[in-house]
Amino acid sequence: MSGFMGSGVILWLLARDQRFPITLRGMLRPASDLYANVIKIGIPAGVEMMIWSAGNTGIVALLNKLSDEASGYFGITHTIKIFNLSIYFGLGVATITLVGMAVGAKDLLRAKKTGELTILLSFGVCAAVGTFFALFPDMIVGLFLNDPEKIQQLRPLVYIIALTLFPQAFNVVGGNSICAHGDTKWMLKTQIVGTILILLLAYVA
């Protein structure tokens, strides 16, 4: 329902904005070059997310062959890690916006400094969250489990999660900085390679 309401508000705002008048002629004669650029940039980004989701689904499928408990543990650790991602995801959005504006203004030095700043800020977030994870692993896992024995089993994984926060932040925020330059194919290529490697390692492990 919120999606329908939000879409309605956006359409209403566009319709009343005189700077971008919506006309029948404009709808019948769209700017084909603009559509081509949107597709060129958007499709690789969309396929990248599909591959990321497929990789996680593949890991769950491999774990399901071991046991339902193994795939459940993956769901818990994945949720814990995504919690950190949710915090600094806004920094990734800010990176695309600010770096893109700087690139559009041909101020590459400002674009570089902005990208570096957002990466440092994301590392700060990861340091704070990682410290919290390391200090209170039992409490965090206890949000998902009540069995003390299983909490003890998952405790080492929380420490590993704390370490993996930093490369994940660099990938997300740094990748958004590259996307802000109009290059989404680079992220797609690295996602393909990374997903294949992770699935191979998961299969062997």
Side-chain angles (χ1 to χ4, degrees):
M1 180 60 69
S2 61
F4 284 110
M5 293 176 64
S7 299
V9 171
I10 291 173
L11 289 174
W12 177 73
L13 290 173
L14 286 173
R16 68 190 297 268
D17 192 337
Q18 297 302 318
R19 294 173 300 173
F20 305 100
I22 298 177
T23 63
L24 179 61
R25 180 181 179 184
M27 289 187 283
L28 295 177
R29 297 180 58 186
S32 57
D33 56 338
L34 180 60
Y35 276 81
N37 287 332
V38 170
I39 293 172
K40 182 180 178 181
I41 294 175
I43 286 182
V47 174
E48 177 208 339
M49 289 300 298
M50 290 176 60
I51 293 174
W52 180 79
S53 298
N56 284 301
T57 303
I59 292 175
V60 172
L62 291 172
L63 291 171
N64 275 329
K65 292 184 178 180
L66 296 177
S67 67
D68 293 340
E69 189 176 70
S71 59
Y73 283 175
F74 173 78
I76 291 173
T77 56
H78 185 69
T79 300
I80 294 173
K81 188 167 65 172
I82 291 298
F83 170 77
N84 178 72
L85 171 63
S86 301
I87 294 176
Y88 66 75
F89 182 77
L91 292 173
V93 175
T95 302
I96 290 182
T97 303
L98 296 175
V99 173
M101 291 172 63
V103 170
K106 301 190 184 302
D107 190 347
L108 298 183
L109 179 60
R110 180 158 62 95
K112 180 175 180 293
K113 288 183 176 180
T114 301
E116 292 173 348
L117 175 61
T118 50
I119 288 175
L120 287 176
L121 288 173
S122 70
F123 279 2
V125 172
C126 291
V129 175
T131 301
F132 182 77
F133 285 175
L135 291 176
F136 307 103
D138 291 356
M139 183 187 74
I140 293 169
V141 178
L143 297 173
F144 304 91
L145 297 171
N146 294 321
D147 189 334
E149 183 179 349
K150 292 182 178 180
I151 291 175
Q152 291 299 316
Q153 290 177 347
L154 276 181
R155 176 191 284 179
L157 296 181
V158 178
Y159 298 133
I160 296 174
I161 292 172
L163 294 176
T164 61
L165 298 180
F166 294 92
Q168 183 187 41
F170 186 79
N171 180 55
V172 172
V173 179
N176 282 339
S177 182
I178 294 174
C179 289
H181 287 77
D183 183 2
T184 54
K185 292 181 180 179
W186 183 88
M187 288 289 286
L188 173 60
K189 293 174 182 176
T190 56
Q191 186 66 59
I192 292 172
V193 174
T195 299
I196 292 173
L197 289 177
I198 289 297
L199 288 176
L200 288 174
L201 290 172
Y203 177 78
V204 171

